[in-house]
Amino acid sequence: MPDRPGARRAPSGLFAHTPVMPEEVLAALLPKAGAVCADGTLGGGGHAALLCEAVGADGVFLGIDRDPAAVRAAAERLAPYPCRKIFENRNFEEVGEALSRHGLSGIDAGLLDLGVSSYQLDEPSRGFSYSGNGPLNMRMDGADGSDGALTAYTVVNTYAEPELARILYEYGEERWSRRIARRIVTERERAPIETTDELVRAIRSAMPASARREAQHPAKRSFQAIRIEVNDELGGLARALTAWIDALNPGGRLGVITFHSLEDRIVKEAFRTRENPCTCPKEAPACVCGKVPDARRVNRKAILPEADEVAGNPRARSAKLRVIEKI
């Protein structure tokens, strides 16, 4: 899908991609001219371009991504927009530090798109892809593990079998988690599993024939689970949601796009807690904990992509947008 009418087109490059639910994001966040907007998951800058255009020459855009390649690509894509642009190569949990560093007091419109970028999925050298052979990496920041950072290689080759099975089941919702974990351990005892192809073969061989014939790639859930473990995605998301809601100006809105149930559950719980933080027992006649709401959910039900968008961009199929507003 091309950029919407009136928007500047992105330069060609590795991070060129189609942003999910672009019109829905703008309608939900309501970025105004002169506002401060922020994107904590820059990717190729697709959503960022929409925000930059909306806030105009008097606005400020803060873009955060822990992948330095994403920051470089977004800076190139957003160069034509006249707003003040700030780019930070850091974890999105650190939004408060990024704002303070640049003398910004808060955010009027913020976005977290939790999907892995097309470039990261499609570039075999990053190790995310089960369709192209590459090293077992899967780090969002692109680090190779030489600094001791956790990589997919470490998870696959050193985690105990029960821990592997737990990760595959909890993070990937993989029903064959025990069989796959057992096969991985058996294979690595012969020789370390070093590439994505080798891992895919181990996963396939552990699954019954009926599971291998399903429409979804048999390794998809396992790769998702290992990626989440490597990048601490669920723990990081919970911490980031607190930081981003704290960073909103009064009336400011945060939109979060999730792509699987584990993420969506964390977002729903975080939003509910900010809207109703009371910890008093339900049977208590009145609140005595003193905790008061500082935000409200804009949409009780998740906003979903339209059918025509899914037809043109299959990766949007499982996307859900939830929005919260600071009181």
Side-chain angles (χ1 to χ4, degrees), residues 108-258:
D108 300 308
L111 180 68
L112 302 177
D113 176 356
L114 304 180
V116 181
S117 75
S118 299
Y119 163 69
Q120 290 169 327
L121 285 173
D122 297 339
E123 174 53 47
S125 67
R126 300 299 298 270
F128 291 99
S129 175
Y130 41 77
S131 301
N133 194 28
L136 279 179
N137 188 315
M138 300 194 193
R139 287 196 60 85
M140 293 288 193
D141 60 8
D144 60 9
S146 59
D147 59 353
L150 184 65
T151 66
Y153 178 91
T154 309
V155 173
V156 169
N157 287 286
T158 68
Y159 276 30
E161 183 179 322
E163 183 67 0
L164 270 177
R166 182 192 68 80
I167 290 167
L168 298 178
Y169 182 75
E170 291 185 8
Y171 298 165
E173 300 176 296
E174 174 55 72
R175 65 184 183 279
W176 305 109
S177 57
R178 291 183 180 178
R179 290 175 59 150
I180 293 171
R182 191 174 308 122
R183 182 58 56 87
I184 287 173
V185 170
T186 298
E187 293 296 327
R188 78 189 191 193
E189 286 174 349
R190 298 191 182 102
I193 299 173
E194 297 184 339
T195 68
T196 53
D197 269 1
E198 291 172 1
L199 179 57
V200 168
R201 285 197 294 271
I203 293 168
R204 280 184 179 275
S205 65
M207 301 174 78
S210 58
R212 295 197 300 269
R213 290 194 296 267
E214 292 177 358
Q216 180 172 268
H217 192 288
K220 181 177 181 179
R221 290 182 291 267
S222 295
F223 269 60
Q224 171 186 294
I226 295 168
R227 187 201 79 220
I228 289 173
E229 171 67 11
V230 167
N231 296 286
D232 187 26
E233 291 180 30
L234 301 184
L237 173 58
R239 294 188 294 270
L241 289 170
T242 296
W244 279 75
I245 298 172
D246 286 347
L248 291 175
N249 289 322
R253 291 185 173 190
L254 171 68
V256 185
I257 301 175
T258 63

Side-chain angles (χ1 to χ4, degrees), residues 14-15 41-46 63-78 87-89 117 119-120 126 140-141:
L14 292 174
F15 267 88
T41 48
L42 263 177
I64 298 173
D65 204 295
R66 55 180 163 180
D67 189 332
V71 174
R72 291 192 297 270
E76 179 188 357
R77 179 171 190 164
L78 301 178
F87 299 99
E88 288 278 340
N89 178 204
S117 75
Y119 163 69
Q120 290 169 327
R126 300 299 298 270
M140 293 288 193
D141 60 8

Side-chain angles (χ1 to χ4, degrees), residues 33 49 51 56 61 74 96 127-128 136 152 172 180 247 251 253 273 290 295 299 306 313 322:
L51 293 173
F61 172 78
F128 291 99
L136 279 179
I180 293 171
R253 291 185 173 190
T273 299
N299 55 317
E306 298 290 342
N313 181 17
R322 297 185 186 276

Side-chain angles (χ1 to χ4, degrees), residues 92-113:
F92 67 170
E93 299 174 35
E94 300 169 357
V95 61
E97 293 88 334
L99 289 168
S100 296
R101 181 182 176 191
H102 297 280
L104 299 173
S105 59
I107 297 168
D108 300 308
L111 180 68
L112 302 177
D113 176 356

